[in-house]
Amino acid sequence: MNAPAGSMASVGTTTAPIRIVVIGGGFTGLAFIIHAIRTRLGIGRNRGDSDEESGSESGPLLQFDLIERNGELGRGIAYGTPDRLHRINVPSDRMSLLADDPRHATRWLIEHDTLDPGSTDANGHHYVAREHYGAYVAATLSETLTLAGERVRFTRWLANATAIRSHAAAKATTSGNTGGHGEEHTETNSFDVVLDSGHVLEGDRVVLCIGHAPPALPCAVSDEALGDPALIVNPWAPRVFEGVPREASVLIVGTGLTMADCAVSLLARDHRGPITAISRRGLLAQPHGLFSDGADFLRDGSPPDTARALVRLLRERVAHDTPQTGWQPTVDAFRFDLPRLWGALPPQEKRRVIRRLLAFWDVHRFRVAPQVHAALRDAIDTARISIERLGIAGIERSTDGLVATLRRPTGELDQRVFDRIVFCTGPSRNITGNPLVRSLLDAGLARLDATGVGLDVTLQSQIKSEDGRPVPGLFALGPITRGTFGEMTGAPDIARHIEKWLKQVTPHLLAQAA
């Protein structure tokens, strides 16, 4: 069996540890550990310094077991790309892990010399390479662990979690409201987390931070085509575009942020062959405008209870505000109010939003970095890239190249041959392909949310079992909770949610283990 990848152990304390198993070492997993330590131990209240109590031996020790197969922490899919042209799509001043220190990320990025000549836009905002931001997240975890010292034990496991077993028990607690019997019983859990390395970890709490589901094949693909390196299934693989001939015809399936990244990577290599990007709607990620955090979307009104009414209200707000500020602050205000707006919609209306409106929302919500937008617009205007409204029905291999069967909006099929095809369709909405999620569902420890795009959790991020009851000690954070909260994808939103959530649940989540 493999040994842990590394650990930081506490010594000299007799306090029983709170054992927290964190599954997933991308942005969400690291953000949770950072904020759990800071919240419980009072670290960083003055911009990274521990308060006078943080070094004491009082209070429980926190023990984190972090399970992550990838070699580098804090990367995940979003921040694992080594291409320096793949930039964060939000300015660094809005990407701080710490809400009370908005320039925390920017200071680190500047101090570590990550700004290249193209990083800064005309307004002085920094859009650094995504791998640098991933390094910032990992460094913040390391700094937080150092400040915590002996009161935190941290072990990283290079493995995948394959199953979680719950051990429920009754816990007697003294209460003044027990009918004169002096104690009451509440349910408590401990867990075994099974790793594919052969280890079984014991935990008092388990937090799922598994991120996005891997992309699914967008169409039928023949075995010959699937085994051909000319078909690029993973556009984030290192040096994936180095083998693409400059004169090659390239089909990019998808027109969102991933397509934009792939396009600029090809253009930077002086690609001269035709590049065609397709999607059913032909929607491109929109540019940034004015940033604002203070807008009130509902303006004391009641949230709509249908998808149609929600769209109508959004359009009214945009029409009213655009002449003064542009549409971007209104969309951001909508996002800030989204938990309340989403919670007011019945399940069938939520499903209607996902089916009919999600694609339009994503291109306005997840906007493209200005440097990437400018390069993409120039390529489109000069016909180096063409955007077409087409679906894809199948891919086969022929002696001439890869044959794509394309579906026009009218339903007619057309076949074209390309030298290279790149899938840029984004993460799958089907999380049940994850073996761990599948095992939780099969064991009745979890269920899908009403929209089917994530796990069903409470507003306190506690996973609900198949009968709808919260499972004590079992939590989920990040993109797999999007169906409950309406939006939980962008790094700033995830960090803010975790920070607020921990302040609400700390007495329960980080309480002394039984």
Side-chain angles (χ1 to χ4, degrees), residues 1-310:
M1 294 188 295
N2 296 327
S7 64
M8 297 180 63
S10 77
V11 294
T13 179
T14 59
T15 305
I18 306 301
R19 303 167 302 174
I20 304 175
V21 180
V22 181
I23 302 174
F27 176 86
T28 302
L30 266 62
F32 164 69
I33 296 174
I34 290 165
H35 283 294
I37 293 172
R38 289 168 59 88
T39 301
R40 181 61 186 87
L41 303 186
I43 290 175
R45 291 176 181 171
N46 294 310
R47 297 199 174 194
D49 298 327
S50 59
D51 69 12
E52 61 182 7
E53 296 181 359
S54 64
S56 78
E57 293 294 326
S58 62
L61 177 79
L62 299 179
Q63 173 183 315
F64 293 98
D65 285 289
L66 175 63
I67 304 166
E68 172 57 55
R69 170 64 72 185
N70 293 331
E72 293 183 287
L73 295 180
R75 306 291 183 167
I77 295 175
Y79 307 115
T81 169
D83 193 326
R84 299 294 174 87
L85 294 175
H86 296 169
R87 302 182 181 278
I88 55 176
N89 64 316
V90 178
S92 58
D93 278 358
R94 304 180 70 82
M95 292 285 283
S96 172
L97 276 162
L98 314 179
D100 60 354
D101 188 1
R103 288 188 57 81
H104 185 259
T106 300
R107 287 200 307 275
W108 189 94
L109 293 165
I110 292 174
E111 290 168 2
H112 290 79
D113 196 26
T114 66
L115 302 186
D116 60 75
S119 293
T120 307
D121 70 4
N123 297 314
H125 298 308
H126 306 307
Y127 296 82
V128 300
R130 292 212 293 273
E131 68 168 345
H132 292 324
Y133 184 77
Y136 155 72
V137 176
T140 303
L141 172 64
S142 180
E143 176 187 353
T144 304
L145 290 169
T146 298
L147 289 170
E150 296 179 351
R151 294 180 64 190
V152 169
R153 181 183 297 130
F154 175 84
T155 304
R156 187 272 176 89
W157 300 82
L158 278 168
N160 290 319
T162 59
I164 298 173
R165 295 192 292 259
S166 172
H167 304 289
K171 178 181 177 182
T173 57
T174 301
S175 172
N177 192 22
T178 57
H181 296 289
E183 65 179 28
E184 60 183 2
H185 294 273
T186 58
E187 185 180 359
T188 183
N189 273 9
S190 63
F191 301 90
D192 289 337
V193 180
V194 181
L195 309 186
D196 59 4
S197 64
H199 287 85
V200 178
L201 305 180
E202 296 180 357
D204 304 302
R205 318 282 186 266
V206 176
V207 185
L208 270 66
C209 304
I210 56 178
H212 293 286
L217 294 179
C219 62
V221 182
S222 71
D223 292 339
E224 294 81 5
L226 197 57
D228 192 328
L231 178 63
I232 300 174
V233 176
N234 178 14
W236 307 120
R239 299 178 295 278
V240 69
F241 294 111
E242 289 183 3
V244 179
R246 284 182 169 81
E247 303 298 333
S249 59
V250 179
L251 173 67
I252 301 179
V253 182
T255 58
L257 287 174
T258 304
M259 179 280 291
D261 283 338
C262 293
V264 296
S265 294
L266 287 168
L267 295 171
R269 299 184 66 256
D270 193 28
H271 189 87
R272 294 184 291 272
I275 301 173
T276 305
I278 66 169
S279 66
R280 289 188 298 118
R281 297 180 178 89
L283 299 173
L284 296 174
Q286 296 298 298
H288 284 295
L290 179 69
F291 291 99
S292 174
D293 291 327
D296 178 9
F297 183 80
L298 283 175
R299 300 172 186 172
D300 297 326
S302 299
D305 59 3
T306 68
R308 187 183 298 274
L310 190 67

Side-chain angles (χ1 to χ4, degrees), residues 304-316 349:
D305 59 3
T306 68
R308 187 183 298 274
L310 190 67
V311 173
R312 183 167 58 249
L313 179 59
L314 180 58
R315 286 174 173 168
E316 290 172 355
E349 294 298 321

